[in-house]
Structures are given as C-alpha cells and as structure tokens.
Amino acid sequence: MTKITLSDGWFDAKGKMNDEEPATPREVQVLKEFLSGHITCSVAAKGLMTVSEDDKPLIDKLNRVAWLLMDTIIHYQTQQPLLIELLDAIHHLSDSELDFSTQQKERYPDWPKWKELGRFELLLDETLRSLLAYRYSPDDEDEDPHDSCRRWESINSFLAHRCIYNKGRDGCVFGIRLIASTLAQESWSNDGEGRVNSVVLDADIPAAAQWLLIAGDMIYSDLMMRPDPKLSGLYEARNIKLDKRQWDSWKASLHSVGQQHALHSKTKILAKQTLNKMENIEAKNAENDTGFADEGTRILQT
C-alpha cells in the first residue's frame, strides 16, 4: 500500500457537522486513524458505526457515514483497498458489536440491517451516474473542469478494486464496456477532419486505464476464454466479445495515445503505463502456459 500524507485540513472540514459535511468529529477521527495505520480495521469498523448520541442523534447516522466514506474514496484514491476492507469489516460486525441499547432498538427496529450500509450502495450508484454524466464538464460552473476527470478516474479505480476484492465478474462488465468504448479509435474524432476529441479522451482514457491496471489479470483471463460456460454466458448476455483480438486492439489504441499531441501529458503517461502492464500480463501468462506444457511433457515421458 502506498503511504500518503493525510491532510488535516481535509479531514477537519469533514467534521463540521453542517448540511454540507454531516459527519461528527469522532467519526472523522476514527477514519483518519485507520487510514494512518494507528488502529485496526475491526476497531475502525466498530468506531465508525458507534451508536453514541453524544455528538449527534442517530437519525442520520447511515447517511453521514455513507457520505464520509464516499468522499474519502474519491479524494484518496490510493487508500481505496483499505476502505474496501473497512466496508467489509462493517458488513461483518456482529449484532452485539453494534451495541444498540434497548431504547435505541425500539426507536430503530431495523437496526440489525445497519451494518449492511445500504445507504452507501445507493450513494455509490448515484455518484457513479452523476460522474458519468458530468465527466467532460463539471456540474457546478465554479468547479475545476480537471476535477471532474479526476473524480471519474477515482470512482472507476474504486470499482475495479472492489471487483478484485469480491472476486466477482459482474462488476467487471462495466469496466470492460468502458475500456472497449474508450479505446475504439474510430470514435476518437468527431470533427470530420481527424482531430481527436481531447476533452473526451482526457476524461475516459485515465478512467478506463484503472480497470486494466487494477483488474487487468482478471480481464485478460476472461478475454482468453478460459473454459467456463457460466462466465461466457455472463458476457454474451451483455454483448461483450471475449477474444484475444479485443485485447490486442486495446494495446494498439493505447500505443496511439502517445502520438496524439492534443492530449494531456498525464493521459499519455497513464496510457504508456497501462500498455506496459498489459504486456507484462501477457508475458506472465505465456510463462505459465509454457510451464504447464513442460510439466505435461515431463509426465508423458515418465
């Protein structure tokens, strides 16, 4: 895990307890201590889901925790794997660890479901839809246009990390569709003169790259059509082709990114890093295939 310096100012702003920042100082401090490595994941999960009403009533507890986690996920992209572990730890809290009093249980009869953090899942869907809609231009005219791209990249990074953590392919469908649409070179120009749409590509290439950098091994395995009827059915039902030509076309597109003078230098650098990652994945799989073949030959010879 990459070590970063957490901003005291950013976390302090989260604990203002107003309409914009509803989290309590205690909730914010628990999250910061966890990301700083001062407390364990299980301790952070219990601390974040505390039912103490010293700072604020419980009525908006789930909403403020969901917003605090979502904002942190978007702002601190390198900490996303830790935040995914924290979410999982919250899901696995026991009823006794939630520590609701008898009176609180009567006021909130659905309290056993609080650890499911359903509000976070709804917020994640809302955030994804909003960032998808405004990734090329900010929703707020006072917002930095580059921040829209950064947030779009960050949410895709989180989704890719969660796909790997959960070991599920359903989450990767969105990523593969984004990669395929972004790296289809025929869609790069829309002015009739062959000039690339830099606004679109500077937003979508870094986002698509996150999927290949983080979940590239899983995607490569799927595209190589490992024998799994259930897996093939999942992708075919969503009109996603599974073949090596798809992978090769993505590599060719990423190589072409470096030749597009209109694109931001960060986009070009990230495209190069992603291309290197893809080539490393191929080399690693080639070595594995050779190893299996050599082992098979040895067995046949004995």
Side-chain angles (χ1 to χ4, degrees), residues 10-138:
W10 189 86
F11 277 94
D12 289 344
K14 292 295 159 191
K16 289 183 177 179
M17 292 197 301
N18 55 31
D19 290 341
E20 291 293 324
E21 306 291 356
T24 68
R26 181 180 304 188
E27 292 159 351
V28 173
Q29 185 61 30
V30 166
L31 186 56
K32 184 179 180 183
E33 288 181 1
F34 168 62
L35 294 179
S36 300
H38 296 145
I39 59 176
T40 65
C41 195
S42 59
V43 169
K46 287 185 284 188
L48 199 58
M49 295 302 290
T50 177
V51 293
S52 169
E53 298 187 81
D54 292 343
D55 296 322
K56 233 177 181 182
L58 282 180
I59 190 168
D60 67 341
K61 173 73 174 183
L62 297 181
N63 188 59
R64 66 181 187 248
V65 169
W67 271 108
L68 176 60
L69 287 170
M70 181 57 65
D71 285 347
T72 310
I73 283 167
I74 297 297
H75 190 77
Y76 288 108
Q77 185 173 327
T78 59
Q79 300 298 92
Q80 289 171 353
L82 278 178
L83 291 163
I84 290 171
E85 290 180 22
L86 177 58
L87 282 164
D88 191 48
I90 291 173
H91 295 329
H92 286 89
L93 287 172
S94 65
D95 289 350
S96 61
E97 286 175 315
L98 288 176
D99 201 27
F100 276 77
S101 68
T102 301
Q103 186 181 37
Q104 287 173 328
K105 290 179 181 179
E106 291 174 353
R107 283 162 47 203
Y108 303 101
D110 64 340
W111 66 271
K113 294 184 178 180
W114 280 34
K115 59 189 175 185
E116 297 175 8
L117 269 187
R119 179 65 185 109
F120 175 82
E121 296 303 323
L122 291 173
L123 181 58
L124 176 61
D125 184 65
E126 293 170 7
T127 302
L128 178 61
R129 291 174 184 274
S130 175
L131 294 178
L132 175 63
Y134 293 103
R135 65 193 188 277
Y136 304 142
S137 59

Side-chain angles (χ1 to χ4, degrees), residues 181-190 195-198 201 205 252-254 256-257 260 263:
S181 62
T182 299
L183 298 182
Q185 291 192 51
E186 61 270 17
S187 66
W188 286 7
S189 174
N190 61 2
R195 288 188 293 248
V196 298
N197 190 330
S198 59
L201 295 181
I205 287 176
S253 295
L254 288 168
S256 297
V257 168
Q260 307 300 326
L263 298 184

